[in-house]
Amino acid sequence: MAESPFHAERLLFTPAAPDADAVSVVFAFPNTYSIGITSLGYQVVWATLAQRSDVAVSRLFTDQSEPLPNPIDLVGFSLSWELDYGHVLTLLESLGISRRACDRSSDHPLVFGGGPVLTANPEPFADFFDLILLGDGEDLLGNFIEGYQQVQDRPRSAQLRHLAQIPGIYVPALYDVTYAADDGPIASIHPIDADIPATVQKQTYRGNRLSTSTVVTEQAAWENIYMVEVVRSCPELCRFCLASYLTLPFRTASLNESLIPAIDQGLQVTDRLGLLGASVTQHPEFEALLDHLNRPQYDAIRLSIASVRTNTVDEKLAHTLTRHGTRSITIAVESGSPRVRQIVNKKLSNDDIVTAAMRAQAGGLKAMKLYGMAGIPGEEMADLEQTVALMMTLKQAAPNLRLTLGCSTFVPKAHTPFQWYGVNPAANKRLKYLQKQLRSRGIDFRPESYNWSVIQALIARGDRRLSHLLEQTRQYGDSLGSYRRAFKTLRGHLPPLDFYGHDHWPLDATLPWQHLQGPLPAATLKKHLETSEIAADSPPAAGATALV
């Protein structure tokens, strides 16, 4: 029998010995151990629970588990990828817990969930959870555990009503959703009585100590990686970007109080360092951080940096990455068209992009991956032609740099200005156009699946009726065909796929997440949307980089 992967872990914290009356928690990641233990969010929540003497926590993955308690008080899931929902249901069944919250009795533990998928739009999965934690876990997690302890001995319904009063805790069963018709739009969402908050506010941690790895292991998908969160959110506010809008405001870890001590601690147990964040190079002291990593005692470390902002790429950054074993850099440009970048508020010029490529090459890097998109609202074929032209310009400007363009289809996300849009059906042909034009010119073009992007949009904008569809899809095999078959089976009981995936919703529509408040109110998102629509109707001014 293979040795348990838990034996290979090097912990960077000291677990507490649980009290005799500790709350028993099973904290699950709905995928394999290798993938789950690579999730920084999962690591941090697990370690936070494990350091409490009033909690006894066991980890559960699809292929591994620690010894599980009996009885179990709480079962939690960290959901980072929408399509992992099937594993959530499988793990619940393995624990003998009903899939649907309405079918659970006082003999069952409370099932809670968190993570980016559930914070963005929990509604397609709401029927599977007793409660959902919306937002950052730093404060929310402790408030949840302490709130549960206060009502641990009460009936299940009383427990849920009490927990629903804690900011950031959403109890779906306490909100009633009505529809204009079984297969029509949402008519209303309201609490079942006046004692339940009308809206639930996502919780935001505002400290200057951000997350760092709590465990390092060779069994992780990123072998022996020590991860440090340098920044949280992004100040750029690209109109489509969930990672920016949902996590506002932009926060940076303190260099001297957080980053440097954390890095020094982590590099005592591994030589692999990952700097994480949506906009790492926009940390105000990023240059000083590079200086710290370039000290002689760290010559042997291997450094990885998440996607960096294009106009922050300089030779110093490239030299640092090269020195520490990185051969490529990743930037997000969205489009080669200045007009499209205005629409999405991507504050870059083509000159910025070309300069970044030249500096990357001069600094010794061998490859650059660019992220683009097809089907952005307002995009025209001429904009795609400009993307091809930009890639050819980059190839000429940095001939020794291996260029890759990874291209996705625009997918609307909740709590962003583009949440009212649908997926453009023309995006599929536009991806094929880019593929034909770029591959024939020696550019490595890597498109994401258009059809799966439509499924992403379905879940991103879904409502509670999708829980039945997801159960059917799982039963049929979780393929693209399974979704089509499930829609056919449930015809008349929910809107068609086009409603969720492709339709442009009116601005006065009741959104599935209307009762869940993100960082910005809908009125502000509508103003940002209006700005983007003005940009779509106006050619960019000479020398302009983007609308602010």
Side-chain angles (χ1 to χ4, degrees):
M1 180 178 294
E3 185 179 34
S4 167
F6 303 113
H7 294 151
E9 294 178 340
R10 283 157 284 164
L11 301 187
L12 289 104
F13 72 98
T14 302
D19 299 333
D21 59 348
V23 175
S24 60
V25 180
V26 173
F27 187 48
F29 191 94
N31 211 304
T32 63
Y33 172 85
S34 176
I35 294 173
I37 205 62
T38 311
S39 165
L40 182 58
Y42 180 83
Q43 283 190 25
V44 169
V45 172
W46 159 62
T48 300
L49 294 173
Q51 290 176 87
R52 296 181 64 119
S53 62
D54 57 352
V55 171
V57 60
S58 300
R59 290 174 288 168
L60 173 65
F61 304 90
T62 56
D63 60 343
Q64 302 286 341
S65 77
E66 294 177 311
L68 301 181
N70 185 23
I72 303 170
D73 296 316
L74 301 170
V75 174
F77 291 90
S78 177
L79 196 58
S80 299
W81 189 44
E82 293 92 340
L83 298 182
D84 273 345
Y85 78 88
H87 296 312
V88 172
L89 304 185
T90 299
L91 290 174
L92 286 174
E93 291 165 351
S94 73
L95 294 170
I97 300 171
S98 302
R99 291 194 303 264
R100 291 182 166 270
C102 64
D103 295 330
R104 296 176 196 142
S105 69
S106 57
D107 295 329
H108 290 119
L110 291 183
V111 177
F112 71 94
V117 169
L118 295 176
T119 295
N121 176 23
E123 290 304 283
F125 316 101
D127 289 345
F128 306 137
F129 290 93
D130 293 300
L131 51 97
I132 294 167
L133 277 56
L134 302 178
D136 297 334
E138 279 87 348
D139 300 320
L140 183 53
L141 190 63
N143 292 341
F144 165 53
I145 294 297
E146 287 148 26
Y148 173 76
Q149 290 169 333
Q150 293 169 5
V151 292
Q152 186 172 2
D153 297 327
R154 296 186 193 175
R156 189 182 194 87
S157 59
Q159 292 176 354
L160 292 174
R161 280 184 165 272
H162 177 81
L163 291 169
Q165 304 300 322
I166 298 173
I169 295 184
Y170 171 46
V171 180
L174 300 181
Y175 294 81
D176 185 41
V177 183
T178 61
Y179 306 94
D182 287 347
D183 57 357
I186 295 174
S188 68
I189 305 173
H190 53 79
I192 60 173
D193 60 48
D195 293 333
I196 305 302
T199 60
V200 185
Q201 175 72 53
K202 171 193 172 289
Q203 296 301 288
T204 300
Y205 167 69
R206 298 179 183 273
N208 63 0
R209 291 179 179 269
L210 301 182
S211 299
T212 60
S213 285
T214 61
V215 59
V216 171
T217 174
E218 62 189 21
Q219 301 289 331
W222 294 344
E223 184 178 344
N224 289 322
I225 192 78
Y226 177 75
M227 297 172 286
V228 177
E229 187 183 20
V230 178
V231 300
R232 191 173 295 183
S233 194
C234 176
E236 298 306 313
L237 292 179
C238 294
R239 306 300 190 215
F240 59 84
C241 184
L242 182 69
S244 180
Y245 275 87
L246 185 64
T247 58
L248 288 171
F250 181 59
R251 286 147 288 167
T252 62
S254 168
L255 180 69
N256 293 316
E257 295 178 21
S258 177
L259 285 179
I260 288 178
I263 288 170
D264 291 346
Q265 179 194 19
L267 293 180
Q268 292 177 17
V269 299
T270 185
D271 62 357
R272 290 202 62 189
L273 175 66
L275 303 182
L276 304 188
S279 193
V280 170
T281 53
Q282 286 182 274
H283 189 287
E285 296 179 278
F286 187 73
E287 289 279 321
L289 179 58
L290 290 183
D291 290 338
H292 183 76
L293 295 175
N294 282 328
R295 294 188 304 168
Q297 64 262 44
Y298 289 146
D299 281 350
I301 72 165
R302 296 170 59 193
L303 177 64
S304 301
I305 297 183
S307 177
V308 302
R309 179 159 171 77
T310 305
N311 58 8
T312 62
V313 177
D314 57 23
E315 287 191 34
K316 180 177 182 178
L317 173 60
H319 278 302
T320 300
L321 292 172
T322 301
R323 176 178 178 178
H324 293 294
T326 295
R327 295 291 177 261
S328 66
I329 195 168
T330 302
I331 61 175
V333 299
E334 317 316 340
S335 173
S337 165
R339 173 179 165 276
V340 169
R341 292 198 299 271
Q342 282 188 333
I343 291 172
V344 301
N345 196 38
K346 193 77 176 183
K347 295 181 276 292
L348 292 176
S349 69
N350 280 11
D351 286 345
D352 290 332
I353 301 168
V354 173
T355 298
M358 294 172 65
R359 288 175 174 172
Q361 178 178 274
L365 293 173
K366 303 300 182 184
M368 172 178 280
K369 183 173 183 179
L370 299 91
Y371 280 124
M373 232 184 251
I376 290 171
E379 173 192 86
E380 300 172 358
M381 276 306 300
D383 300 308
L384 278 294
E385 294 167 2
Q386 291 185 53
T387 296
V388 174
L390 172 64
M391 295 304 296
M392 299 315 299
T393 299
L394 293 176
K395 188 174 181 180
Q396 293 173 354
N400 297 325
L401 208 59
R402 187 174 69 255
L403 298 174
T404 299
L405 178 62
C407 198
S408 61
T409 298
F410 161 74
V411 173
K413 298 291 186 178
H415 305 288
T416 71
F418 284 176
Q419 64 185 357
W420 291 278
Y421 284 114
V423 174
N424 186 344
N428 198 21
K429 290 184 177 179
R430 293 178 184 181
L431 288 172
K432 293 177 180 177
Y433 166 81
L434 289 173
Q435 177 171 300
K436 180 179 179 180
Q437 295 295 319
L438 292 173
R439 288 184 177 173
S440 65
R441 291 171 165 87
I443 301 293
D444 183 9
F445 180 71
R446 300 182 185 179
E448 293 186 8
S449 167
Y450 165 81
N451 289 323
W452 279 111
S453 294
V454 176
I455 300 303
Q456 282 187 46
L458 161 71
I459 296 175
R461 298 207 299 171
D463 54 53
R464 293 188 188 183
R465 290 171 291 189
L466 288 195
S467 66
H468 301 284
L469 181 98
L470 295 176
E471 287 180 317
Q472 289 284 348
T473 299
R474 175 174 175 251
Q475 179 181 336
Y476 295 151
D478 280 324
S479 66
L480 285 168
S482 300
Y483 282 90
R484 290 191 290 269
R485 185 179 174 188
F487 267 109
K488 185 176 180 180
T489 300
L490 294 170
R491 184 177 297 156
H493 296 283
L494 78 169
L497 175 59
D498 282 351
F499 171 80
Y500 298 107
H502 294 295
D503 286 1
H504 188 164
W505 291 350
L507 293 180
D508 61 354
T510 300
L511 302 173
W513 51 91
Q514 190 111 329
H515 54 311
L516 309 175
Q517 180 60 56
L520 298 178
T524 301
L525 297 179
K526 289 175 183 178
K527 289 180 181 178
H528 288 202
L529 176 62
E530 181 181 357
T531 301
S532 74
E533 291 173 340
I534 293 171
D537 293 334
S538 305
T545 54
L547 293 180
V548 177

